[in-house]
Every structure is written in structure tokens, then in C-alpha cells.
Amino acid sequence: MIAPDGGVEWLCLPRFDSPSIFGAILDREAGRFRLAPAGSHLPVSRRYEPGTNILETTWMTDSGWLVVRDLLTIGDRRQRPADHHPRAASEHDAERLLLRIAVCTQGEVEIEASCDAAPDYARKPIAWEPAEAALRARLEEGIELRLAGDLAFEPGPRFPQASCRLREGEARYCALGWGDAEDLPGSIEDAWEKLQRTSDAWREWLAKGRFPEHEWRHHVQRSALVLKGLTYAPTGAIAAAATTSLPETPGGERNWDYRFSWIRDSSFALWGLHSLGLDDEARDFIAFFADVCRDEGPGLQIMYGLGGEKDLTEQTLEHLSGYQGSRPVRIGNAAFSQRQNDVYGALLDSVYIHSKQLGEISDELWELLVEQVEEAERVWRDPDQGIWEVRGPPQHFVSSKLMCWVALDRGSRLARRRGDARFAGWAAAARELREEILERGISERGVFRQHYGSDALDASSLLVPLVRFLPPDDPRVRATVEAISEELTAGGLVLRYRVDETDDGLSGAEGTFAICSFWLVSALSEIGERRRARVLCERLLTLAGPLGLYAEEIEPASGRQLGNFPQAFTHLGLINAVLHVIDDDDARA
């Protein structure tokens, strides 16, 4: 996470869910790594180089122009040992290197750099020492940081610092590595070569996809790059977001750690990637699922650490002030122990969608899937915490029943394809569950309710037509979509639910949920409200951050991004919504 002033304010090593090395986004004393013009200057532009996740920031000073490019480098796996990387979603391999290159493009600019690392969420000290044309710091976690470059860093009283004056056409680089020393560039030419290789790798990956020739093509590509960027390549896990404790309400308590792999979020993310023809990631995630389930049995957790860890005990970091004073700052997530029965449907639907591209499902994988279908059959009658992970009492959430139906329906279809006799029993269970949902999950006015016994609306009901529980022309589908559009919105954007109608165990308000607004686009498109779908989609696309990124929520009055960032859930919703609108445009044409 890089601020406009050139400071890296969030970086966790060696994984998304590892302790932070730079954490200034949560506390100004928690470390940052700045490279920028000397003094205080706001950039005139920030963008990603097209088709990549390489950030380019441009400043204009009184004496000249400076461009800084920031990237996590990608190497060439063909140069690595055969057993270095167990997954196969890319021909390239992520190096453990943050590379920063500064170029003066006009006039001359005084630049300065400072690497104020604060390991373990600023709970542990760090000491730098000279080592092999670099500065080195050993961390207790067994990680060795190396800071190199041609900026001539000096250790300094608190942290390494450097400065120099660049003239037009001159460039300098600095690199922070935490892996093999040979990954560090030894010259500016080497740094440029790593940048070019990384740029090529991103564009080669993007070229594998099928992207529509449409005015919104770049939005879809950016979202695909976000989903790929949130993938932890060594295991295939997909992080829900890159951050922890960015608040849903500034100053409030709704601050969570999203740096883990939710089965639901990851499965839904694969919907978006599949629709673009990017199926290798599905193979990797399904392998991750198999790994975590192999010794666990049917009791699927809702989320795991990126290495498959099961214990994600939640802790509070009292020493951090939080983003704009929003406390508590949390690491870990207590929801890992919750019962959320919708996960079985998300997983089975993802496997079902990808089954043609995945080829023959192995007998081992099939038996793991069977366990999940049977678990859905066992638990669907039980209350749970639901898709939104409420910390109030368990309820019979309709969305959980809906996704258990998906698990039984897709499981039955897959079993029939395999000639597995269990298909008939699962199909019968799906019919029984469907009848109960239609009897108990719909209010007297013909609208899907949040949970049994309540007439409250819930945005997850927008999934009803999207998972093909009912056809889009069913009057109950239309009534639900219209009710949510009219009654569960703020400033035209969709809320998950109204906090005064739902006991979620928390105080305070929250913003509108971006994925729910994208779900509404898709649902409006499904019921034939094509113009309304396009208008809402156009508006949502204007609410992206300056770099085309979305958080979890949007403040309707200001358009401000709220919550952890960038959010995989939101970007997969964008892909599916845009493709819905484009399909409608093509149909009308």
C-alpha cells in the first residue's frame, strides 16, 4: 500500500497475513518506506502501467519532473528448481523483492529515501548492518531484510536514509529483499531488466483471458489483475483483501482482518476469473481446498490462513492508534470458528462451473467434495451466522439455506455425470430444501426475507436468480429485486441489511456494500431491467478509487472507500456485473 507522497505504508512479509514491516496506515509510528522528491509534494498523477500491477507516480517540482515506479518483481520460474513452486497458475515465479525506480524526466530533482522498518506491527526493534553491497537486518521471524540500490543508503540514527540530485534522464533505484540475495539487482540496468520482466509477466497473464471489446474493458482487466494479485501463489489461496482493520466506519469498531482465504470469497472470485477464461487459478485454489480438507474431514472451516492454517485466533493490538483513530486494530479473525452453512454451496458451485475446464475430477477430490455435499445435507436445517458473519445469535438465514441448496443441486449434477448413485438422494434433498425455502423464506408480500421469522430485507437475496434457484421471470424474484432496489439502498447504493433491523452484535453504522450494488446490477439485468442495470453500473464504475481499486464498502454521500482494500469480493462482483450489462448490450445489438 503506497501513499500519494511515495511512502510504502503497508507491507507484510513474507505473506499477506504475516506481521507488518511497514504499518503507517494503521499508526504513523508503525513504519514506512518513502521514495519521493525532497520536501512535501503531492503527485500530479498516479496510475498503473497498462496491463500490469506496476505503480507509476509522477511529481512536478519547481525544478523538474520525477517519475517513480514501484513493483513487486516477478522472476522466471524456468530458472528455478523444479520443486520450487508447487502450483501451476503462471509460468513466472514471484521473487521476494520490492523494487523502486526513480527517473528525472525533465529539469532536475532532489530526491530522498528513507526505510523506517518497524517489524511485527511495530512491536519489535530492528538493527541494520552492512553486508555485501547492501544493508541487512535480521528479524526474529527468521526473515532477513536486505536493502540495496545505487542511492547510497546510510544507516542513520533511526533508519537508513539516502538523498541525491537527479538530472534529466538520470535514474536511481532501491530494492528491499527478504529472500535470496541473488534476487537483488546489482545495477540500474539490472533493475530495469527486472521491471521489464515483471511488466511482461503481467501482460502475458492478462493475454490469456477473454476480455470484451467494450468501453469498460479496462475496468474488467484491472479487477482481474487485482484478483490475481491477491493470490498467494505457493498454495493457491486467494486473500479476501490485503489489509487489516481499515474501518467500515471511521472511528468505529467494525475493523476486521481480511488477509485470509475465505472459502466463499475465493470460490466467488473464481466465478469472475472463469467468465474471463482464466481457469488456471481455479485449479490452484481447488488444490488448496484439497490440501486443507485432506486431514480435516467434512467440517469445512469458513476460512484459512494462506498456508492452510486453521487457527486464526483474533487479537487486539492496543499499541496501534488505528486508521484515523479507528480502534480496535485486530489481527486474526474470530469468525474462523463460526458456522456459516453457505460455504458448501459456494465451493460446489465453483467446482461445477469449472468442471469442464478442470477435466476429469480425481477420485480423491471427488471424495472430498462428497464430504462437503453430505455436510450440507446434514446442517442445512441448523441456524448459523450467515454470509455476513454476524456476531449476534445464530438464525435460519435464507442465504445459507439457498447456498446449501446449491451444494446439493450441484453435487447431484456432478454425481450424475460421474455415474455416482448418490445423485438421486442429493437431488431429493435439494427438492426438500427448495420447498422449505419457498414456504418459510418468503414474506407475505412475496419477497425473500433475511431469515425465518423476520421480514427484514437482505442483499444476499439478490443471489436467488444468479445461482438459478428460481428463473428471473418468477414474480418473487422481481419483487425481491425491486424491494431491495427501493428499500435497502442509501444514495442509490445497496446496504447488506439495515443495522436497526439486524442484531449483528456490533454498534455503529456501516457504508453500502460494493459487491451488493454490483449484485443489483446483475439482478436487474437478469429480470430485464437493462437500462437501470447499465445506469447503476456506470455510476459504480465512477466510484472506483483513483487507481481503479475498490474497498469493501462505499460511503454513499461522498463516494469514499471504506473497509479493507483492495477487496476481492468487490472486484469479482464488478466483473460479473459488467459482463451482464455487456451481454445485454450485445443482445440488443
Side-chain angles (χ1 to χ4, degrees), residues 341 379-386 393-402 433 436-437 440-441 449-454:
N341 295 334
V379 305
W380 71 258
R381 296 174 181 85
D382 299 335
D384 70 343
Q385 265 69 39
Q395 301 286 353
H396 289 280
F397 287 102
V398 173
S399 63
S400 296
K401 312 293 184 186
L402 172 69
L433 175 50
E436 177 171 306
I437 294 172
R440 302 183 62 189
R449 49 172 48 114
Q450 182 184 66
H451 59 78
Y452 296 171
S454 168

Side-chain angles (χ1 to χ4, degrees), residues 139-154:
L139 308 182
E140 290 185 12
E141 295 81 6
I143 301 171
E144 182 174 279
L145 296 181
R146 289 175 178 266
L147 179 64
D150 56 6
L151 276 172
F153 277 97
E154 298 292 338

Side-chain angles (χ1 to χ4, degrees), residues 533-586:
R534 169 174 265 279
V535 169
L536 178 56
C537 195
E538 285 179 334
R539 182 184 175 200
L540 289 167
L541 295 178
T542 67
L543 294 177
L547 296 172
L549 305 180
Y550 291 84
E552 183 178 39
E553 302 178 24
I554 298 173
E555 188 176 57
S558 65
R560 180 184 183 181
Q561 304 283 326
L562 299 172
N564 285 307
F565 182 86
Q567 183 85 3
F569 223 17
T570 304
H571 284 275
L572 72 92
L574 181 152
I575 291 171
N576 292 330
V578 167
L579 293 182
H580 262 98
V581 173
I582 290 175
D583 286 346
D584 286 343
D585 289 348
D586 291 343

Side-chain angles (χ1 to χ4, degrees), residues 429-464:
R431 288 193 296 271
E432 178 187 358
L433 175 50
R434 185 177 186 275
E435 290 171 2
E436 177 171 306
I437 294 172
L438 294 177
E439 178 183 349
R440 302 183 62 189
I442 299 177
S443 68
E444 292 184 1
R445 62 173 178 150
V447 171
F448 280 87
R449 49 172 48 114
Q450 182 184 66
H451 59 78
Y452 296 171
S454 168
D455 285 339
L457 292 171
D458 193 298
S460 60
S461 297
L462 294 168
L463 292 171
V464 168

